[in-house]
Amino acid sequence: MPASAPVATGIPHGADHLPSVVVDSYNVELRDKEGFVGDRASNRAFRAILDDWRERLRQVGDDPLGETPSREISKKKLDKLLVEGDPEAAGVIQGAIEDFAQELATVIRRFLRLKGWRDTERIAVGGGLRESRIGELAVGRAAVLLKAAGVDIELAPIGHHPDEAGLIGAAHLAPAWIFSGHDCLVGVDIGGTNIRAGIVLTNQKKTPDLSKPEVWKFDLWRHRDDDPPPSRADAVGRLAAMVSDLVERAERAEHRVAPFIGIGCPGLIGEDGAIQRGGQNLPGNWESSRFNLPVELRRAVPEIGGHETMVVMHNDAVVQGLSEVPAMQDVARWGVLTIGTGLGNARFTNRAALKEERDQFRA
């Protein structure tokens, strides 16, 4: 099988039409004279804003956050300083939150002008920054700024923990019947800093709408910390080993693992599973015409539970957003922004809402 051949799942990768939603837009790369607009609302941007506040204070006295570079201060530490720290240290962090919220609000307004984002009613905000109190405050402040400016949009932190949302969303990449007779599946979340794989319990018998999934176990590899940096082959091998180990552990625990691996990966994903662009932060060249991750992973893990493995891949922001499908049934059009290495983005329309609109039009 050629490296670029599509995986025989019957489900295209990077699909616009998924079981519950239509993907109206994803991986938008807005630009202005300063570069990518989304970069102004990324984790790096927050650290740069924090650095700017600290530098201004150093020019007139001491930095209340000390000598540690901003990029090395954990989100947990910043949260603690915000609540319990010296008032000036908390003030610096609060100033960074305010400035970042201003940038986030500006970026959201730019997205809402796009055709693919028209009539968006709610945006779920995920990504690594969301798991911290500073991230939640930034989202809340951005929501207030938008409402005060007359922008009718609801912002909410993504419901699941960010470490789990990108795994749980994989359950919405395929029709529910694929998981019939099984109680879990494999989810994979690939990012510019780490790769995570986990076993997702669907709990489908109790909640057929997949509204109560949970991550049973997951493994994490922080590839960005490796020295020397891993190659693409290293990454595929490590991922395959993680998946195989998780499946084995799940089967030992008497879980019935579906022969399905759902992957969220940065970039624009072709129907054949090739990454057309946007994979520049991944280890090695993932945009090569000779590389296809779903094919490589299926070769490495050809069977699960005695059945041929199916692998389906989509953009990581799309997959993280899909974890919100059950919570978004009260709106028709909604989006997701993931604040991480960059700013992931996707906009959805619920298929049930489209059917209702068509029925009303015919009537």
Side-chain angles (χ1 to χ4, degrees):
M1 180 187 295
S4 60
V7 180
T9 63
I11 304 170
H13 305 284
D16 293 336
H17 287 71
L18 296 172
S20 299
V21 298
V22 173
V23 183
D24 303 303
S25 171
Y26 78 90
N27 200 52
V28 172
E29 297 176 328
L30 290 174
R31 291 178 180 265
D32 60 16
K33 61 183 179 181
E34 297 177 2
F36 288 113
V37 171
D39 287 346
R40 293 160 56 181
S42 66
N43 196 12
R44 290 175 182 170
F46 177 80
R47 301 291 173 161
I49 291 169
L50 183 60
D51 266 338
D52 182 62
W53 273 98
R54 296 176 69 186
E55 180 58 32
R56 280 186 265 171
L57 289 179
R58 289 191 194 109
Q59 291 175 7
V60 296
D62 294 332
D63 178 354
L65 297 186
E67 300 296 325
T68 306
S70 295
R71 66 179 180 277
E72 296 178 12
I73 304 176
S74 69
K75 293 188 289 287
K76 185 179 291 187
K77 177 68 172 177
L78 291 173
D79 282 351
K80 187 172 183 180
L81 287 170
L82 185 63
V83 176
E84 303 174 5
D86 174 84
E88 283 200 5
V92 170
I93 298 167
Q94 188 63 56
I97 291 171
E98 175 65 26
D99 288 355
F100 182 80
Q102 295 274 0
E103 294 287 1
L104 178 58
T106 298
V107 170
I108 288 171
R109 294 182 75 165
R110 288 288 301 271
F111 272 100
L112 294 177
R113 294 190 196 117
L114 299 173
K115 181 179 179 181
W117 280 72
R118 189 176 299 161
D119 300 326
T120 302
E121 299 166 69
R122 185 183 299 152
I123 298 175
V125 183
L129 196 65
R130 173 260 176 268
E131 67 181 294
S132 63
R133 184 58 179 163
I134 56 175
E136 291 178 346
L137 290 173
V139 172
R141 180 59 178 156
V144 169
L145 291 168
L146 288 167
K147 288 179 180 178
V151 180
D152 185 17
I153 189 72
E154 181 183 348
L155 298 188
I158 208 163
H160 295 282
H161 190 285
D163 290 348
E164 299 185 349
L167 304 177
I168 287 171
H172 295 274
L173 286 173
W177 63 261
I178 284 181
F179 309 122
S180 177
H182 306 89
D183 62 13
C184 59
L185 64 135
V186 178
V188 173
D189 185 12
I190 296 171
T193 301
N194 54 58
I195 293 176
R196 183 179 286 103
I199 298 293
V200 179
L201 303 180
T202 61
N203 294 320
Q204 205 168 0
K205 286 187 176 179
K206 295 180 180 178
T207 53
D209 63 348
L210 297 175
S211 60
K212 297 294 183 182
E214 56 185 306
V215 176
W216 176 68
K217 300 284 185 185
F218 74 83
D219 286 338
L220 173 69
W221 171 39
R222 292 187 60 84
H223 60 79
R224 182 62 65 85
D225 294 343
D226 281 13
D227 188 18
S231 67
R232 187 179 68 198
D234 292 336
V236 173
R238 182 72 173 265
L239 174 57
M242 291 164 67
V243 169
S244 296
D245 178 65
L246 283 162
V247 169
E248 184 178 334
R249 288 157 63 188
E251 290 176 340
R252 284 202 306 266
E254 299 186 352
H255 284 299
R256 292 161 293 148
V257 187
F260 179 87
I261 302 172
I263 305 174
C265 183
L268 187 65
I269 311 300
E271 186 175 331
D272 64 349
I275 301 172
Q276 297 175 355
R277 68 172 187 273
Q280 63 271 10
N281 292 317
L282 303 177
N285 179 14
W286 289 48
E287 298 177 23
S288 168
S289 60
R290 298 189 296 275
F291 177 68
N292 186 298
L293 178 62
V295 170
E296 296 294 334
L297 188 55
R298 187 164 176 261
R299 284 174 176 165
V301 189
E303 290 187 351
I304 295 177
H307 299 282
E308 186 178 4
T309 303
M310 295 184 290
V311 183
V312 177
M313 187 164 81
H314 215 308
N315 173 266
D316 56 342
V318 169
V319 178
Q320 193 167 146
L322 291 175
S323 70
E324 290 290 286
V325 164
M328 295 291 183
Q329 295 309 298
D330 60 329
V331 294
R333 294 171 176 81
W334 53 280
V336 62
L337 296 175
T338 58
I339 303 172
T341 307
L343 184 71
N345 57 85
R347 215 296 290 264
F348 307 94
T349 297
N350 290 330
R351 295 188 70 168
L354 284 177
K355 181 178 183 301
E356 184 178 336
E357 288 174 2
R358 286 195 296 267
D359 291 345
Q360 290 176 349
F361 178 77
R362 289 168 183 160

